[in-house]
């Protein structure tokens, strides 16, 4: 598929006579085998996700005509069926992994039903934390990147909800900062773990996972940096150091060690936003004049152009 | 692309008798989508500061709709000149992008304000859509074309929405998206134009399809004028028709004959998915984008379609005109339909022996 753009570019220049045939020769277009494998997975995953959402919606409706035992029985039956399906199918095949993912989502629905029925007084963050804890054994045996990502996402939600319930002694401001630090630390550790794990386990060696985690970690440290710029009196001074350290590590990991353009592009965008924020703070905070706006606009354009130029050069190396 | 890879590809094409002349230069052809997305976001950021510059330094422009419109058009023309003068220069491309975005914001501000006093209804949005469509064709910049095509699709959809033909816009956009991607190879000589416009319209389709069900369910709460209840059905019917047409063209491309039982079965399967989409909006549209992407060997399009499907399921939770119990039933039925279609497709449409042939 990576040859697509080049073939169209050659066709536009008149270097090849039939782009459709060229795409076929270069095996850019799928054949019968690829179509079969693709439709198998597409319909399997979309069907399973629709069924999982159906159970979640059902629990959320809290249907009064169905007694509590019937509801529990129904959801537990679904969980059991999904687990049995996992054992029944080959666990290494897509159908097995889809069944385990379904069971993990249904486990969350079951916990939500428990909280809804018995009104235990537990906070919402506890639901997600318990879900993540109970799901963990399945995640460990599943050998499946998608399931790990579900677990990480559930833990992220638990962290966010925890800090909404426990804002701390100093109210929402410090709560937001602690929340962001915790999310940053968790996602960065998860990223490092994923990258290390990918060296040993082939099933973890998919770039979308580390990219999502790098996006989450990079976004939270950039938000902390923005907070440090605009609310520097209240914010701790650790954010600039951590931000620079994160950029340095990202450069070392994704430019020097492996080349991942996605993370580098995210890093460039983060630098553009942070430098713009510094300029806004320095030039516009006391007096918003036209020259300040123009200068910042030109700085953003220059930084973006330089980033684009650099990233294209790295892209050429990545393909080399 | 590196030289050995380009030469290898070229020799394959030459063996098939598809080449003219020697190996062309291939180094500047590929920019990943996320680099373009990063540049686009930076362009919007810079445009925001440029608007601040105009707003503070030339306040009269913001106070007069006519001035805003005139300055906006002048700025867009200047951006066009910048693109034309140095198309390969990164700084000038970025500058042109930011300047044009700022100009478009001024034009939109001027048009919406101008028409507010003279004409109401869908007219300003039709005018905005036409301007954006023109810019998508004229401006020689990939990111600009994507954004302008998105703006055009969105403006026309909104014009349909407020003129009362609610739901039809999704069907119209689905048809245009299907046409653009299915004709991508036939229009290969204009790929620099067709591809970004295709992406922009696909993004607009995903956005409009994703929000139309929610907006329709909210309408009785906020609007006096009620659109016909049939319109969302017409919209989904058009989306389902676009899905069917896409499946048909992809089957033909794979060499399947119209009277082949497997072709008929595949079309019936697509029709069943389309029918499911009447109660679970977005399923047919999302699957159509995914199929078009895979059929064209375009992973970005496949990713967009999958992301759209996830967004539709999440958004469906908040649709107000059905209870969660009803939605649960619809999703359960849709899931069952998708798994049944999978069974039919694997057993009869693309059986193992056919696949390995």
């Amino acid at each position: 598929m990576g040859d697509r753009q080049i073939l169209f570019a050659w066709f536009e220049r008149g270097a090849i006579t039939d782009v459709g045939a060229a795409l076929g020769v270069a095996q850019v277009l799928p054949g019968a085998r690829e179509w079969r494998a693709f439709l198998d997975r597409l319909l399997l995953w979309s069907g399973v996700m629709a069924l999982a959402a159906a159970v979640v919606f059902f629990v959320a409706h809290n249907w009064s005509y169905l007694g509590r035992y019937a509801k529990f029985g129904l959801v537990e039956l679904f969980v059991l069926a999904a687990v049995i399906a996992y054992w029944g199918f080959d666990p290494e095949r897509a159908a097995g992994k889809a069944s385990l993912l379904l069971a993990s989502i249904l486990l969350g629905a079951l916990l939500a039903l428990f909280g809804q029925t018995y009104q235990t007084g537990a906070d919402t963050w506890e639901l997600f934390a318990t879900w993540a804890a109970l799901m963990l054994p399945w995640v460990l045996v599943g050998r499946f990147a998608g399931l790990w990502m579900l677990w990480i996402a559930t833990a992220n939600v638990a962290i966010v909800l925890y800090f909404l319930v426990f804002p701390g002694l100093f109210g929402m401001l410090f709560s937001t900062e602690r929340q962001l630090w915790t999310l940053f630390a968790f996602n960065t550790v998860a990223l490092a773990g994923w990258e290390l794990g990918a060296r040993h386990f082939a099933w973890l060696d998919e770039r979308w996972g580390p990219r999502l985690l790098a996006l989450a970690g990079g976004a939270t440290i950039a938000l902390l940096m923005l907070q440090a710029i605009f609310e520097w009196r209240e914010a701790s001074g650790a954010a600039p150091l951590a931000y620079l350290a994160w950029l340095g590590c990202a450069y070392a990991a994704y430019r020097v060690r492996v080349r991942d353009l996605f993370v580098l592009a995210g890093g460039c965008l983060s630098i553009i936003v942070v430098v713009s924020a510094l300029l806004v703070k320095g030039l516009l905070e006391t007096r918003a004049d036209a020259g300040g706006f123009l200068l910042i606009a030109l700085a953003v354009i220059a930084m973006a152009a330089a980033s684009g130029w650099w990233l294209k050069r790295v892209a050429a190396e990545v393909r080399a | 692309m590196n030289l050995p890879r380009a030469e290898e590809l070229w020799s394959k094409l030459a063996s098939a008798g598809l080449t003219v002349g020697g190996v062309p230069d291939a180094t500047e052809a590929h920019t990943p989508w996320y680099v373009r997305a990063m540049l686009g976001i930076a362009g919007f950021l810079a445009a925001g500061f440029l608007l601040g510059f105009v707003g503070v330094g030339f306040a009269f422009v913001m106070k007069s709709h006519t001035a805003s419109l005139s300055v906006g058009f002048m700025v867009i023309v200047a951006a066009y000149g910048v693109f034309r003068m140095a198309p390969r220069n990164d700084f000038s491309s970025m500058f042109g992008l930011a300047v044009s975005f700022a100009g478009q914001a001024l034009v939109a501000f001027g048009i919406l304000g101008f028409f507010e006093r003279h004409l109401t209804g869908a007219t300003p949005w039709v005018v905005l859509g036409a301007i954006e469509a023109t810019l998508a064709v004229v401006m020689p910049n990939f990111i600009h074309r994507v954004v302008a095509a998105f703006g055009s699709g969105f403006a026309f959809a909104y014009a349909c929405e407020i003129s009362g033909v609610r739901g039809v816009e999704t069907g119209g956009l689905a048809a245009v998206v299907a046409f653009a991607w299915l004709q991508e190879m036939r229009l290969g000589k204009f790929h620099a134009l067709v591809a970004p416009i295709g992406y922009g319209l696909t993004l607009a389709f995903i956005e409009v399809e994703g929000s139309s069900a929610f907006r329709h369910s909210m309408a009785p709460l906020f609007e006096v004028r009620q659109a016909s209840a049939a319109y969302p059905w017409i919209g989904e019917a058009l989306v389902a028709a676009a899905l069917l047409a896409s499946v048909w063209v992809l089957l033909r491309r794979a060499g399947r004959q119209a009277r082949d039982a497997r072709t008929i079965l595949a079309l019936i399967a697509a029709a069943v998915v389309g029918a499911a989409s009447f109660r679970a909006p977005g399923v047919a549209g999302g699957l159509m984008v995914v199929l078009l992407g895979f059929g064209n060997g375009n992973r970005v399009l496949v990713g967009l379609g999958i992301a759209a499907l996830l967004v539709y399921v999440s958004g469906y939770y908040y649709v107000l005109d059905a209870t969660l119990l009803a939605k649960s039933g619809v999703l359960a039925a849709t899931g069952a339909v998708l798994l049944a279609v999978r069974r039919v497709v694997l057993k009869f449409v693309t059986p193992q022996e056919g696949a390995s042939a």
Side-chain angles (χ1 to χ4, degrees):
Chain A
M1 288 190 183
D3 298 332
R4 243 179 77 81
Q5 281 182 315
I6 190 65
L7 289 174
F8 275 109
W10 282 349
F11 185 61
E12 278 187 293
R13 286 188 231 170
I16 50 179
T17 52
D18 182 346
V19 73
L23 288 164
V25 168
Q27 294 178 321
V28 171
L29 300 180
R33 190 189 301 274
E34 287 81 20
W35 266 116
R36 182 184 159 83
F38 174 74
L39 289 173
D40 177 8
R41 293 195 170 208
L42 174 70
L43 293 167
L44 173 71
W45 287 110
S46 47
V48 165
M49 291 310 287
L51 289 178
V55 177
V56 171
F57 282 35
F58 177 78
V59 170
H61 180 71
N62 195 14
W63 196 21
S64 56
Y65 290 103
L66 207 60
R68 67 173 64 168
Y69 293 114
K71 281 185 202 164
F72 274 111
L74 198 64
V75 180
E76 283 167 1
L77 192 71
F78 286 141
V79 176
L80 196 65
V83 174
I84 291 170
Y86 170 69
W87 286 114
F89 295 117
D90 180 355
E92 291 306 312
R93 291 186 62 190
K97 292 184 190 308
S99 302
L100 198 58
L101 182 73
L102 181 63
S104 302
I105 295 172
L106 295 181
L107 179 66
L110 183 63
L111 290 171
L113 179 63
F114 184 81
Q116 186 190 70
T117 307
Y118 295 108
Q119 299 291 323
T120 57
D123 294 315
T124 323
W125 74 270
E126 289 178 85
L127 162 69
F128 284 90
T130 312
W131 182 12
L134 293 178
M135 199 202 310
L136 192 58
W138 289 347
V139 176
L140 289 170
V141 300
R143 295 163 54 85
F144 174 36
L147 201 52
W148 271 104
M149 194 48 79
L150 175 69
W151 186 81
I152 291 168
T154 308
N156 266 274
V157 175
I159 292 169
V160 169
L161 294 173
Y162 175 84
F163 283 101
L164 289 180
V165 177
F166 299 106
L169 291 174
F170 301 101
M172 287 308 290
L173 180 71
F174 282 96
S175 164
T176 309
E177 193 179 340
R178 285 197 302 144
Q179 181 190 63
L180 289 174
W181 276 115
T182 312
L183 287 171
F184 169 65
F186 179 78
N187 288 315
T188 305
V189 168
L191 171 64
W194 193 301
E195 292 287 17
L196 290 172
R199 293 187 195 173
H200 304 287
F201 308 112
W203 52 269
L204 265 184
D205 194 15
E206 295 177 30
R207 290 313 305 163
W208 67 270
R211 284 175 174 181
L212 272 181
L213 291 172
L215 191 66
T220 43
I221 192 62
L223 281 172
L224 282 162
M225 188 63 201
L226 291 177
Q227 196 177 39
I229 292 169
F230 289 113
E231 293 164 1
W232 58 274
R233 283 192 181 86
E234 290 85 6
S236 70
L241 291 175
Y243 180 66
L244 291 174
W246 189 88
L247 283 179
C249 290
Y251 182 84
Y254 297 110
R255 171 72 179 94
V256 180
R257 193 170 173 79
V258 290
R259 283 169 194 161
D260 191 322
L261 219 58
F262 182 91
V263 183
L264 296 178
C268 288
L269 183 61
S270 147
I271 291 171
I272 292 169
V273 171
V274 167
V275 173
S276 304
L278 280 167
L279 289 171
V280 166
K281 175 86 178 170
L283 295 173
L284 301 179
E285 196 179 46
T286 48
R287 185 169 156 270
D289 66 339
F293 277 109
L294 183 61
L295 189 68
I296 299 171
L298 290 174
V300 172
I301 290 167
M303 285 188 287
S307 302
W309 172 81
W310 179 65
L311 290 167
K312 283 179 207 166
R313 280 174 60 99
V314 179
E317 289 173 27
V318 170
R319 290 191 299 275
Chain B
M1 178 181 280
N2 60 326
L3 202 58
R5 177 79 192 103
E7 284 175 350
E8 185 191 328
L9 185 60
W10 185 259
S11 72
K12 266 191 195 173
L13 300 178
S15 308
L18 295 167
T19 57
V20 179
V23 189
D25 177 30
T27 49
E28 64 193 39
H30 184 71
T31 304
W33 67 268
Y34 34 83
V35 175
R36 283 177 168 149
M38 186 275 288
L39 293 174
I41 294 168
F44 277 112
L45 189 63
F49 287 114
L50 285 176
L51 283 173
F53 165 67
V54 174
V56 175
F58 306 91
F60 69 93
V61 174
M62 294 296 202
K63 286 177 185 161
S64 157
H65 295 305
T66 314
S68 173
L69 205 57
S70 315
V71 173
F73 276 123
M74 281 192 283
V75 163
I76 290 171
V77 171
Y80 175 78
V82 170
F83 282 136
R84 276 282 170 219
M85 274 191 294
R88 305 243 179 271
N89 184 294
D90 288 298
F91 183 83
S92 64
S93 294
M94 203 58 225
F95 184 75
L97 199 62
V99 166
S100 179
F101 286 167
Q104 286 170 63
L106 288 173
V107 167
F109 175 71
I111 286 176
L112 292 177
F114 187 73
F115 277 104
E116 204 172 59
R117 281 181 288 159
H118 301 286
L119 286 165
T120 53
T123 315
W125 294 96
V126 171
V127 174
L128 270 180
I131 292 170
E132 290 295 309
T134 309
L135 291 177
V137 174
V138 171
M139 289 293 203
N141 179 282
F142 189 97
I143 300 167
H144 197 292
R145 281 182 167 146
V146 173
V147 173
F150 173 82
S152 171
F154 185 79
F156 280 125
Y158 195 67
C160 288
E161 180 87 7
I162 57 177
S163 63
V165 282
R166 198 172 282 131
V168 176
E169 71 277 10
T170 52
L173 275 172
V176 178
V177 166
F179 177 82
W181 293 116
L182 289 171
Q183 298 302 317
E184 188 189 21
M185 283 170 243
R186 191 167 290 175
L187 301 170
K189 284 283 178 200
F190 310 100
H191 197 250
L193 187 67
V194 173
I197 290 177
Y199 283 121
L201 290 173
T202 306
L203 287 169
F205 168 62
I206 289 170
E207 198 285 326
V208 170
E209 173 79 326
S211 58
S212 67
F214 181 68
R215 286 199 311 274
H216 179 73
S217 73
M218 294 281 283
L221 298 177
F222 297 109
E223 291 178 23
V224 178
R225 187 164 57 132
Q226 285 291 305
S228 163
Y231 279 130
W233 289 80
I234 295 169
E236 279 309 316
L238 290 171
V239 175
L243 171 69
L244 268 175
S246 303
V247 170
W248 166 246
V249 173
L250 291 171
L251 284 165
R252 295 285 294 170
R253 198 189 281 175
R256 292 283 166 84
Q257 298 301 313
R259 290 182 182 176
D260 185 342
R262 289 179 298 179
T263 303
I264 294 166
L265 212 50
L267 288 170
I268 290 171
V272 170
V273 171
S277 200
F278 280 82
R279 299 304 302 169
V283 172
L287 283 176
M288 183 189 81
V289 174
V290 174
L291 289 176
L292 289 170
F294 190 77
N296 283 12
N298 185 335
R299 276 190 288 192
V300 177
L301 207 54
V302 173
L304 273 178
I306 290 171
L309 284 170
L310 290 173
V311 169
Y312 295 154
V313 172
S314 314
Y316 190 48
Y317 188 89
Y318 299 100
V319 170
L320 298 179
D321 56 359
T323 65
L324 282 167
L325 186 66
K327 286 186 265 190
S328 169
V330 168
L331 282 169
T334 306
V337 163
L338 289 167
L339 292 176
V341 166
R342 172 178 177 261
R343 187 98 183 129
V344 169
V345 166
L346 295 185
K347 202 164 174 63
F348 302 109
V349 180
T350 61
Q352 195 72 51
E353 62 276 14
S356 55

